[in-house]
Amino acid sequence: MDTHPKYHEVASVCNQHPQRARALFQAYLDLKYGQRLDVTGTPVLSGIDFPAVLVPGSHGLKPQVFVPVYADEKLDMKILSTIPLSAQLILETDVSTHLAIVEDDSTIAYYKIGSDLHNPLE
């Protein structure tokens, strides 16, 4: 992974959070280069110490925060309920928060989270 030509863009956060590095890097690559979103940073969510991918709001849309997690990772309700609150603290404004669930084969499923969990296309 660290030999990938784009790795340097997220290396500092990946080095600080090696257990989450693969999920973060996969989501970052997909959002920035696959979906061509304007990714502006990879902040760390306070309170749960999860790295995230930040996409600023544009054209009337809220800023988006994507939190990469592994598909086989066990997340309890406390963490899931903390993610949207921690995401809002990054920009001190209302944001659209998403889980980026990364599979071993690099497939990523995105789910919008708030008071419940649902597909972001809804």
Side-chain angles (χ1 to χ4, degrees):
M1 180 171 64
D2 57 349
T3 60
H4 190 283
K6 300 296 183 182
Y7 182 75
H8 70 279
E9 296 175 15
V10 293
S12 64
V13 176
C14 287
N15 291 336
Q16 293 170 16
H17 300 276
Q19 72 282 9
R20 301 204 161 277
R22 186 179 62 81
L24 175 65
F25 188 51
Q26 287 297 135
Y28 175 84
L29 288 176
D30 182 57
L31 293 166
K32 186 166 185 175
Y33 298 104
Q35 297 186 38
R36 299 184 188 273
L37 297 178
D38 183 25
V39 173
T40 59
T42 52
V44 176
L45 300 181
S46 63
I48 56 173
D49 206 33
F50 277 43
V53 179
L54 178 62
V55 176
S58 62
H59 308 293
L61 297 175
K62 295 178 188 176
Q64 299 178 79
V65 177
F66 293 86
V67 181
V69 297
Y70 297 106
D72 61 355
E73 186 171 1
K74 305 292 186 234
L75 297 174
D76 62 29
M77 290 308 296
K78 181 180 178 188
I79 290 175
L80 286 174
S81 64
T82 303
I83 289 173
L85 300 172
S86 296
Q88 282 189 230
L89 293 174
I90 293 170
L91 297 174
E92 298 177 355
T93 187
D94 194 22
V95 298
S96 180
T97 309
H98 307 266
L99 284 181
I101 303 173
V102 180
E103 284 281 354
D104 286 338
D105 67 357
S106 299
T107 301
I108 303 175
Y110 295 99
Y111 288 90
K112 185 173 181 180
I113 58 175
S115 59
D116 57 359
L117 183 67
H118 52 88
N119 187 312
L121 298 177
E122 295 182 276

